[in-house]
Amino acid sequence: MSALTLPIDGMTCASCAKRVETALLKVSGVHSASVNAVSAQAQLELTGTVDTAALQQAIEHAGYQLRQQSAAFAVSGMSCASCVARIEKALLAVPGVLAVSVNLASNQAHVTWLAEHSSEALLAAFNSAGYPATLIDTEQKQASAQSTPWLLILCALLSLPLVVPMFFELGGGHWMLPAVLQFLLATPVQFAGGARFYRAAWAALKARSANMDVLVALGTSAAYGLSLYHWAVQDGMPVLYFEASSVVITLVLLGKYLEERAKHSTREAILALQALRPDSALRLTADGNSERVPLSQLALGDQLLLQPGASVPVDGRIVSGSSHVDESMLTGEPLPVARSTDATLSAGSINGEGVLTLEVTALGGDTLLARIIALVEQAQAAKAPIQKLVDRISAVFVPVVLVLALLTLLGWLAVGSPLEVALINAVSVLVIACPCALGLATPAAIMVGTGSAARHGILIRDARILESAKAVDCVAFDKTGTLTQGKPQLLALHSFSNEQSRVLQLAASLQHGSEHPLARAVLAAAKAQNIALLPSSEVQALPGKGAQGSVDGLLLQLGSDRLLPQGQPLSTELAAARDNEQSQGRSVSWLIDVNAQQVLALLAFGDAIKTGTPQALAQLQHDGIQRVLISGDNRGSVGALAKQLQLDSWHAEVLPADKAALVNQLREQGRHVAMVGDGINDAPALAAADVSLAMGEGSDVAMQTAGITLMRGDPRLVPAALDIARRTYRKIRQNLFWAFIYNVIGLPLAAFGLLNPMLAGAAMAASSLCVVGNALLLKRWQPNLKETAQ
């Protein structure tokens, strides 16, 4: 019998506790459960091993949540996909662990486990599996420098004299180094250079599994041992294979070193983002002076002095000063943007020519930069669905190779070949069959692809999005703020009862305090005419219609055509005014006196099309993707915009809740739909789409709602996001091809004696380098943002 404590969120009373207890007792392996709503914990007695995921599912089904924590661990000693599988298995066996994702390309493990449980058990699990790990400090920058490979250089220098005589043999000579000298050169390589393989192989065998290190250790030991045997029993110049074991170890070490350098390049996006954070800031003191303090000593509300050329240390609001700010690393915007008083700055931006005073509004993990880093790390740590197949293959790959090597040995002996020939061919099989490339194929491509996207302001939240995005053949757009600038202006006001200034005063007073774009346009127009606002009361939103409230004794409504009395046709004057404005692509709103059932005025708004909209739509059309506009605006303005932009289809006067139904309708027609919106009002439609893209410019809601967040409101990033997703998935498939083809070709050649161990070692190293190098080609990707003539 074992015990387990679960921290649970959402319980408020004894009834909640009883419901959780009932749910937990239904999970197989739970003997008893005692849930305390006050302490927000469940104490469990378990009869055996219980799947934590089953406990989590039971609690969530009851309507509550497990309180969790996540962290990243730097793992040492991993060499192939078998290592990844063994670590994940060891960590998932630790009580309280909910999810594990081990990334061979970044040498990191991302673990989610129960809150209030320490990380010591996890570190112990790493050690017992044979892979020591350290908890990564999220505020600590990762080292970018690679240490000098002294051991590799030493092994190369010792192996070189062993290889040189081979060239004499190729030229017809038969010169060989004395056996004792070969032994003295090969032994340090075998046991110093190969020590890492022996250690890792022993750890794998203790864990009753096998990996690449087992193959290398067995293969090189066989060649080294056979050389010792021949030296002991043969007279004269014995047939030795010291050069084979030494060169194989040297080549594998070289391959691992080059692989580490290449893998480091795949992490450049994260490293570059982390490097944006300065370690300290200039804080203004009460006497007007400044002091340099670590970021850990800052508090919300502190005022900072930001000098020209300095990095913004935290998120903040400009209290005084103006400047141009380089935000390219966060948003991908190549040109500095003007920022002045009351504008917000994000950590990691670079101040231009001005001196700014900044009030701290967010610190540490709450900053936009920290959220971006977390999102990119989350995407890079995730596994694409295709990786599941790779994991299943990797789990049986090494045992199959060991059997194949044994069959090679027995087969050559069966046809009468000498033991040394059979053994060397078996060694070649062991050495070439490295699963490293297989383990690197998917994560390397994902890391480089998502990193390249992030540099250009495209945040891909999950690796699964890559597989969905490649099939997108229809993109549905919201209108306001997506294809248009989202900053409408009041272009016309038709009054049917009073002077224009009076109806504008009533409309602006009703909209006072609203953050809706049309409300801000009305308030801006009133402010421009110096119109004083009147008190308003009982103001409420009318979802999908507009707003209602009392102003100066009048019960007013302001909004769309849905506010007009049903079944009553508009007068000729009202209809003509509406049709005229809508024919110009403008949105219209009505100001109505509810008690008198009288239309007081018609307000017409215009919103300019974004500069990049025509090019974005043209690129999508070129890619064979259908373009659909879904808007809550009136039919006239939506139709005019759709005609101007030559869209394939459009839908107007769609309520926010109905947008999701339209997206589902498109999917039922066989389309793979991507929805583009602002990530807030369009949340249902974003959730319904196969791929969701939010132009949230870094807002929390956008980053949590959408699969892809576009850090700036440029529509050209939509086809760019689909393009990098397609290219990344294509790289994954290419990498898997290369990883398999090396073994498909190399294993038969080695088994039939057509590949000696040294060439097998070179091929093994080349396979990993080929996969990582192919993934690194994604670093050259650039979105097509050039202006095109319209």
Side-chain angles (χ1 to χ4, degrees):
M1 194 81 68
S2 60
L4 178 65
T5 300
L6 299 178
I8 302 174
D9 284 332
M11 296 188 297
T12 57
C13 63
S15 176
C16 299
K18 182 62 179 177
R19 191 180 310 156
V20 174
E21 281 184 5
T22 303
L24 289 173
L25 287 172
K26 293 180 180 179
V27 178
S28 177
V30 176
H31 175 69
S32 66
S34 175
V35 181
N36 188 320
V38 178
S39 64
Q41 288 185 341
Q43 302 289 338
L44 306 183
E45 287 189 357
L46 311 177
T47 56
T49 302
V50 177
D51 185 5
T52 310
L55 297 174
Q56 181 181 15
Q57 184 177 2
I59 292 170
E60 290 178 351
H61 184 71
Y64 307 95
Q65 296 290 328
L66 274 178
R67 193 157 60 251
Q68 309 170 10
Q69 58 185 336
S70 299
F73 295 82
V75 187
S76 59
M78 288 194 297
S79 58
C80 65
S82 298
C83 304
V84 172
R86 187 160 67 256
I87 293 172
E88 289 185 346
K89 182 179 180 180
L91 292 175
L92 287 172
V94 176
V97 171
L98 302 175
V100 178
S101 179
V102 180
N103 193 317
L104 178 62
S106 64
N107 290 327
Q108 290 186 4
H110 293 259
V111 186
T112 301
W113 72 99
L114 296 177
E116 303 175 6
H117 285 224
S118 69
S119 60
E120 279 73 14
L122 298 175
L123 295 172
F126 279 109
N127 288 327
S128 63
Y131 302 91
T134 56
L135 185 64
I136 296 175
D137 184 354
T138 55
E139 296 295 328
Q140 179 181 356
K141 299 177 177 65
Q142 296 183 15
S144 60
Q146 296 289 324
S147 58
T148 305
W150 294 114
L151 183 60
L152 171 60
I153 293 173
L154 176 63
C155 290
L157 291 175
L158 293 174
S159 300
L160 185 61
L162 296 171
V163 179
V164 170
M166 295 179 56
F167 294 100
F168 286 90
E169 291 188 9
L170 294 174
H174 299 284
W175 176 70
M176 294 289 291
L177 289 175
V180 65
L181 185 55
Q182 291 190 50
F183 170 77
L184 292 175
L185 290 170
T187 299
V189 177
Q190 184 70 36
F191 297 106
R196 59 173 286 178
F197 304 114
Y198 284 112
R199 286 193 299 266
W202 177 244
L205 294 174
K206 283 198 303 182
R208 297 182 181 179
S209 64
N211 60 5
M212 180 273 293
D213 300 293
V214 172
L215 300 181
V216 174
L218 279 177
T220 58
S221 296
Y224 182 84
L226 183 61
S227 300
L228 292 178
Y229 173 76
H230 282 181
W231 186 21
V233 303
Q234 292 181 359
D235 296 328
M237 176 57 71
V239 179
L240 304 177
Y241 299 97
F242 284 125
E243 78 283 351
S245 62
S246 297
V247 172
V248 166
I249 288 177
T250 303
L251 285 173
V252 175
L253 288 176
L254 175 62
K256 300 305 290 182
Y257 172 71
L258 295 177
E259 181 184 304
E260 285 300 318
R261 288 179 60 90
K263 283 159 60 176
H264 178 79
S265 296
T266 68
R267 300 193 294 268
E268 282 187 353
I270 289 291
L271 296 174
L273 288 170
Q274 290 173 333
L276 295 176
R277 292 186 290 204
D279 297 318
S280 59
L282 283 175
R283 182 172 60 188
L284 293 176
T285 59
D287 57 7
N289 295 320
S290 62
E291 58 178 353
R292 185 162 294 278
V293 297
L295 297 188
S296 59
Q297 295 184 14
L298 294 179
L300 296 179
D302 282 352
Q303 292 197 352
L304 310 179
L305 180 65
L306 198 60
Q307 297 176 326
S311 294
V312 180
V314 293
D315 287 2
R317 179 181 64 86
I318 297 177
V319 177
S320 64
S322 62
S323 183
H324 284 81
V325 180
D326 180 1
E327 300 176 348
S328 58
M329 282 301 295
L330 299 177
T331 66
E333 174 60 55
L335 299 177
V337 292
R339 293 287 185 253
S340 57
T341 304
D342 289 333
T344 57
L345 297 183
S346 298
S349 304
I350 308 297
N351 184 28
E353 74 286 353
V355 177
L356 302 176
T357 301
L358 195 69
E359 180 184 346
V360 177
T361 58
L363 293 165
D366 295 328
T367 64
L368 174 61
L369 176 61
R371 297 200 303 272
I372 291 175
I373 291 175
L375 197 62
V376 175
E377 286 180 333
Q378 174 186 331
Q380 293 186 345
K383 291 183 177 180
I386 197 173
Q387 181 69 21
K388 295 178 181 178
L389 172 63
V390 177
D391 290 343
R392 288 198 296 269
I393 295 173
S394 299
V396 299
F397 186 83
V398 174
V400 167
V401 170
L402 291 173
V403 172
L404 183 59
L406 179 61
L407 293 176
T408 300
L409 175 67
L410 297 176
W412 280 95
L413 291 175
V415 297
S417 298
L419 174 62
E420 58 267 24
V421 173
L423 191 58
I424 287 301
N425 291 335
V427 168
S428 297
V429 171
L430 291 173
V431 171
I432 196 172
C434 174
C436 298
L438 204 58
L440 288 169
T442 299
I446 290 174
M447 291 183 71
V448 181
T450 55
S452 295
R455 280 196 297 271
H456 297 285
I458 302 169
L459 300 184
I460 299 174
R461 186 181 179 190
D462 195 321
R464 289 172 294 184
I465 297 298
L466 301 172
E467 196 158 340
S468 300
K470 71 179 178 60
V472 167
D473 56 10
C474 175
V475 176
F477 289 93
D478 178 42
K479 172 176 167 283
T480 304
T482 303
L483 297 180
T484 63
Q485 292 181 358
K487 299 177 181 178
Q489 296 178 326
L490 181 61
L491 301 181
L493 192 156
H494 301 270
S495 176
F496 305 111
S497 59
N498 299 285
E499 295 181 357
Q500 284 195 353
S501 58
R502 169 62 176 171
V503 293
L504 180 57
Q505 182 184 43
L506 293 174
S509 300
L510 178 62
Q511 297 284 50
H512 179 59
S514 173
E515 291 298 320
H516 192 281
L518 297 184
R520 289 198 295 267
V522 173
L523 291 168
K527 182 178 180 181
Q529 298 183 29
N530 295 318
I531 294 177
L533 300 185
L534 300 172
S536 59
S537 61
E538 301 178 350
V539 177
Q540 60 178 326
L542 304 175
K545 298 179 180 180
Q548 174 179 295
S550 297
V551 178
D552 200 20
L554 299 175
L555 179 60
L556 301 175
Q557 289 182 341
L558 177 61
S560 66
D561 287 352
R562 298 187 184 93
L563 295 176
L564 297 173
Q566 297 296 318
Q568 297 182 19
L570 289 175
S571 67
T572 303
E573 181 184 11
L574 296 179
R578 181 190 63 182
D579 295 344
N580 177 61
E581 295 297 341
Q582 290 185 352
S583 66
Q584 301 178 57
R586 296 173 179 175
S587 303
V588 299
S589 293
W590 303 94
L591 180 64
I592 300 172
D593 184 338
V594 177
N595 293 329
Q597 289 290 293
Q598 178 185 8
V599 174
L600 302 182
L602 181 146
L603 294 79
F605 303 89
D607 191 6
I609 295 173
K610 288 183 177 180
T611 305
T613 294
Q615 182 184 344
L617 297 174
Q619 183 63 52
L620 291 173
Q621 185 180 36
H622 177 269
D623 295 338
I625 296 176
Q626 183 181 12
R627 303 148 310 157
V628 180
L629 177 60
I630 302 177
S631 175
D633 212 339
N634 62 75
R635 295 185 59 83
S637 60
V638 174
L641 180 66
K643 182 179 180 180
Q644 181 181 352
L645 295 176
Q646 300 179 347
L647 296 173
D648 298 303
S649 62
W650 55 274
H651 304 270
E653 300 177 358
V654 182
L655 294 173
D658 295 333
K659 289 184 179 181
L662 271 174
V663 169
N664 285 323
Q665 183 179 331
L666 289 169
R667 295 181 65 196
E668 290 170 0
Q669 296 171 3
R671 295 286 185 179
H672 290 82
V673 183
M675 177 68 197
V676 187
D678 60 12
I680 302 174
N681 296 329
D682 300 304
L686 289 170
D690 296 290
V691 178
S692 53
L693 299 96
M695 286 186 177
E697 300 186 354
S699 71
D700 281 331
V701 176
M703 295 173 72
Q704 294 302 319
T705 302
I708 300 176
T709 299
L710 308 180
M711 293 301 295
R712 63 183 191 278
D714 188 342
R716 293 173 296 181
L717 292 181
V718 174
L722 298 178
D723 180 54
I724 186 59
R726 287 193 297 266
R727 289 175 184 266
T728 302
Y729 191 77
R730 194 180 306 142
K731 285 298 179 188
I732 292 174
R733 294 175 65 92
Q734 291 172 1
N735 280 352
L736 291 175
F737 168 79
W738 285 114
F740 280 112
I741 202 66
Y742 269 94
N743 289 301
V744 169
I745 296 175
L747 281 172
L749 290 177
F752 285 103
L754 301 176
L755 203 64
N756 67 50
M758 287 181 288
L759 290 178
M764 184 195 70
S767 66
S768 295
L769 294 177
C770 179
V771 163
V772 178
N774 186 48
L776 287 173
L777 293 177
L778 285 170
K779 290 177 63 177
R780 300 159 55 184
W781 176 80
Q782 295 283 339
N784 180 20
L785 301 181
K786 295 180 180 178
E787 298 291 342
T788 56
Q790 300 297 329

